[in-house]
């Protein structure tokens, strides 16, 4: 059905025989295991609850996972992604070892569980094994609950090379540096020097004010400022969150060609702050979205709340537009799709497509110049009817082709994870 389809600035939607067809969307930031704790960190632990108190809940959940349970949870998550219109996921993966920090007999067992989940469900994956070495900018050792995340540079590069042997049409292996606080400068340089030229590099950065303050105090510069001055940041890089930026940092990221992965629902859930979208668009910066902790698994909600956050902050409407395109929805979709190749390492995939439900009342009478706006801003019903990845139909009539089996396995796994 989609043979020969191309997405251009003249058309980010096409009318097919079954309905409106949109390009598949890349989810640029995912921690799959966190899908299992969605909704479980919404009780106040103290009046100063923040990312750092949420992290304690996350650590407790992370300690329960093994390869089998990780695959089951990831499969359910990837089904939900596909059913909502994501066709590619960048999996930022740091649960490498057993809960006590000892490597599994197969040191890549947890990574292979994620690969198996992606192949089982049919989603494209850029797997980003994470280098995580220290517990703060001061170089402190990893805490007890962080030990399962850790690698030396040498061990990390062995893992990276072993995973590259798995690459195929729907799998790419990239590199994730967890954050500047978790990767010392010399380790970052050594790792980057050993990577293949085409490898994608993702990093958490400037997510919380405390992180910015610590970096400035110890490294003498703000996180993005330091990174741009000390690493070869270019189109292969994706800066995750990058929430707290100065005007100079905004311009610097845009000039570098790097992509910012904005995760509006997670950033809102954690109270992190709002990305300076209008200023970044003015600098012609590249960006995409991610669902991160998966308190929502919907590109519509990420894109909608990216725009709504800006409206609340500025008390104006229709913020995310670029010159020559007054449609907010079209700008949001076009920008998210246009950044995907640089962030994921996949060439633009014409055979990945999302067909909207032509029978949905929200799309009654839709035309080319309003269908994307209607899709994003007309309500909470999922309007996705069919999804194709690499030419294979993975969602039909709004449901993943293997949804029942995967959901049944997920329910069993959750009962075990929750000690029931």
């Amino acid at each position: 059905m989609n043979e020969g389809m191309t997405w251009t600035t003249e058309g980010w939607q096409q009318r097919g025989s079954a309905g409106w067809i949109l390009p598949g969307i890349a989810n640029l930031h995912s921690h799959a295991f966190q899908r299992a704790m969605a909704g479980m960190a919404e009780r106040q632990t103290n009046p100063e609850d923040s990312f750092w108190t949420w992290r304690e809940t996350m650590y407790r959940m992370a300690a329960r996972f093994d390869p089998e349970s990780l695959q089951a949870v990831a499969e359910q998550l990837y089904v939900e992604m596909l059913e909502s219109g994501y066709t590619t996921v960048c999996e930022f993966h740091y649960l490498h070892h057993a809960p006590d920090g000892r490597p599994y007999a197969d040191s890549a067992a947890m990574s292979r569980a994620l690969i198996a989940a992606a192949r089982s469900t049919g989603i494209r994956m850029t797997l980003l094994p994470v280098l995580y070495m220290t517990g703060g900018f001061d170089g402190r050792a990893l805490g007890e609950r962080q030990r399962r995340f850790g690698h030396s540079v040498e061990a990390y590069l062995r893992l990276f090379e072993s995973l590259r042997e798995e690459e195929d049409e729907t799998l790419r292996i990239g590199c994730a540096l967890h954050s500047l606080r978790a990767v010392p400068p010399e380790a970052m340089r050594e790792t980057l020097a050993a990577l293949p030229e085409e490898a994608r590099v993702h990093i958490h950065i400037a997510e919380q004010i405390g992180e910015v303050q610590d970096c400035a105090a110890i490294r003498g510069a703000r996180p993005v400022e330091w990174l741009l001055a000390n690493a070869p940041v270019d189109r292969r890089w994706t800066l995750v969150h990058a929430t707290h930026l100065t005007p100079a940092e905004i311009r610097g990221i845009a000039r570098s060609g790097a992509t910012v992965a904005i995760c509006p629902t997670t950033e809102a859930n954690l109270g992190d702050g709002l990305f300076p979208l209008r200023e970044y668009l003015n600098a012609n910066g590249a960006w995409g979205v991610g669902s991160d902790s998966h308190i929502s698994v919907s590109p519509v909600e990420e894109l909608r709340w990216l725009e709504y956050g800006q409206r609340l902050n500025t008390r104006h409407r229709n913020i995310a537009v670029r010159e020559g395109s007054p449609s907010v929805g079209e700008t949001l979709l076009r920008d998210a799709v246009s950044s995907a190749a640089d962030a994921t390492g996949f060439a633009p995939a014409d055979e990945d497509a999302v067909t909207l439900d032509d029978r949905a009342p929200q799309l009654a009478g839709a035309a080319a110049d309003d269908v994307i706006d209607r899709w994003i801003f007309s309500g909470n019903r999922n309007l996705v009817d069919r999804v194709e990845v690499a030419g294979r139909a993975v969602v039909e009539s709004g449901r993943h082709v293997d949804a029942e089996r995967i959901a049944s396995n997920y329910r069993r796994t959750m009962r075990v994870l929750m000690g029931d």
Side-chain angles (χ1 to χ4, degrees):
M1 182 179 70
N2 300 315
E3 186 175 356
M5 183 175 296
T6 57
W7 310 106
T8 70
T9 54
E10 286 74 42
W12 293 94
Q13 70 292 310
Q14 295 191 21
R15 183 72 193 182
S17 58
W20 290 102
I21 305 171
L22 309 179
I25 298 173
N27 187 328
L28 298 190
H29 193 60
S30 167
H31 303 297
F33 77 94
Q34 291 179 20
R35 174 65 184 87
M37 61 175 281
M40 297 184 189
E42 309 307 319
R43 292 173 177 261
Q44 189 180 79
T45 58
N46 69 60
E48 301 299 319
D49 265 349
S50 67
F51 164 84
W52 305 104
T53 53
W54 169 88
R55 191 172 72 162
E56 296 302 309
T57 303
M58 182 270 288
Y59 282 164
R60 289 194 293 273
M61 178 60 77
R64 303 176 186 183
F65 275 87
D66 59 16
E68 183 178 9
S69 56
L70 180 60
Q71 180 175 341
V73 170
E75 284 183 347
Q76 177 61 31
L77 171 65
Y78 298 157
V79 162
E80 294 172 12
M81 286 187 188
L82 288 161
E83 288 179 345
S84 70
Y86 289 120
T87 55
T88 301
V89 59
C90 293
E91 187 60 51
F92 199 103
H93 165 57
Y94 54 83
L95 289 188
H96 296 301
H97 311 307
D100 62 4
R102 288 183 292 183
Y104 290 101
D106 174 5
S107 62
M110 295 290 272
S111 297
R112 298 192 203 285
L114 292 166
I115 293 171
R119 287 176 172 158
S120 170
T121 57
I123 198 167
R124 290 184 190 270
M125 172 184 279
T126 300
L127 179 62
L128 301 159
V130 171
L131 178 61
Y132 200 131
M133 301 181 70
T134 57
F137 285 101
D138 57 5
R140 76 192 77 158
L142 296 179
E144 181 178 351
R145 289 173 298 178
Q146 297 171 317
R147 288 176 187 160
R148 72 179 310 185
F149 311 158
H151 278 107
S152 66
V153 171
E154 182 181 8
Y156 174 80
L157 291 174
R158 285 199 302 269
L159 172 66
F160 179 85
E161 287 300 326
S162 70
L163 293 173
R164 287 190 72 210
E165 297 174 3
E166 302 271 359
E167 287 192 336
D168 59 20
E169 181 188 18
T170 58
L171 177 68
R172 296 288 181 271
I173 305 299
C175 166
L177 307 171
H178 180 271
S179 56
L180 294 183
R181 70 178 184 270
V183 182
E186 184 53 42
M188 182 185 75
R189 286 189 283 270
E190 184 180 350
T191 301
L192 294 175
L195 295 178
E197 184 177 353
E198 72 279 5
R200 270 42 184 182
V201 181
H202 290 223
I203 184 171
H204 290 133
I205 199 157
E207 182 180 2
Q208 301 89 25
I209 292 290
E211 172 194 0
V212 175
Q213 294 170 336
D214 289 348
C215 187
I218 294 176
R219 296 200 185 179
R222 296 166 57 87
V224 170
E225 177 188 14
W226 189 93
L227 185 71
L228 293 174
N230 290 275
V233 178
D234 59 18
R235 298 177 71 90
R236 298 171 305 152
W237 284 68
T238 296
L239 310 189
V240 181
H241 303 301
T243 304
H244 302 288
L245 302 175
T246 65
E249 289 172 324
I250 291 169
R251 294 190 298 270
I253 297 173
R255 282 195 302 269
S256 75
T259 298
V260 174
I262 310 171
C263 306
T265 60
T266 292
E267 289 152 6
N269 183 266
L270 298 179
D272 287 341
L274 289 170
F275 180 78
L277 182 65
R278 183 64 263 166
E279 294 83 352
Y280 192 64
L281 293 179
N282 290 344
N284 201 31
W287 63 272
V289 292
S291 59
D292 194 351
S293 66
H294 314 303
I295 48 92
S296 174
V297 185
S298 165
V300 164
E301 190 164 12
E302 301 300 339
L303 295 171
R304 181 191 300 159
W305 279 103
L306 177 59
E307 168 69 16
Y308 281 176
Q310 307 302 309
R311 295 185 187 190
L312 290 167
N313 193 43
T314 64
R315 298 184 296 281
H316 291 288
R317 299 187 70 250
N318 300 328
I319 307 300
V321 295
R322 291 188 187 267
E323 185 176 354
S325 178
S327 163
V328 173
E330 183 174 324
T331 298
L332 292 171
L333 179 62
R334 182 188 65 220
D335 280 16
V337 172
S338 296
S339 67
D342 286 339
T344 67
F346 288 104
D350 296 339
E351 67 270 34
D352 293 359
V354 175
T355 303
L356 302 183
D357 182 1
D358 218 27
R359 300 158 297 177
Q362 293 90 333
L363 299 180
D369 63 356
D370 69 8
V371 66
I372 297 174
D373 287 327
R374 292 205 202 189
W375 174 57
I376 296 175
F377 294 106
S378 67
N380 294 318
R381 174 183 168 184
N382 183 6
L383 301 182
V384 172
D385 181 65
R386 177 183 173 89
V387 177
E388 296 178 44
V389 180
R392 170 192 170 197
V394 291
V395 173
E396 297 273 17
S397 300
R399 290 281 284 168
H400 189 275
V401 294
D402 203 14
E404 284 193 29
R405 179 192 65 81
I406 288 170
S408 177
N409 191 34
Y410 175 76
R411 287 191 289 269
R412 287 194 299 271
T413 299
M414 283 300 296
R415 287 193 287 269
V416 172
L417 287 173
M418 301 310 297
D420 185 1

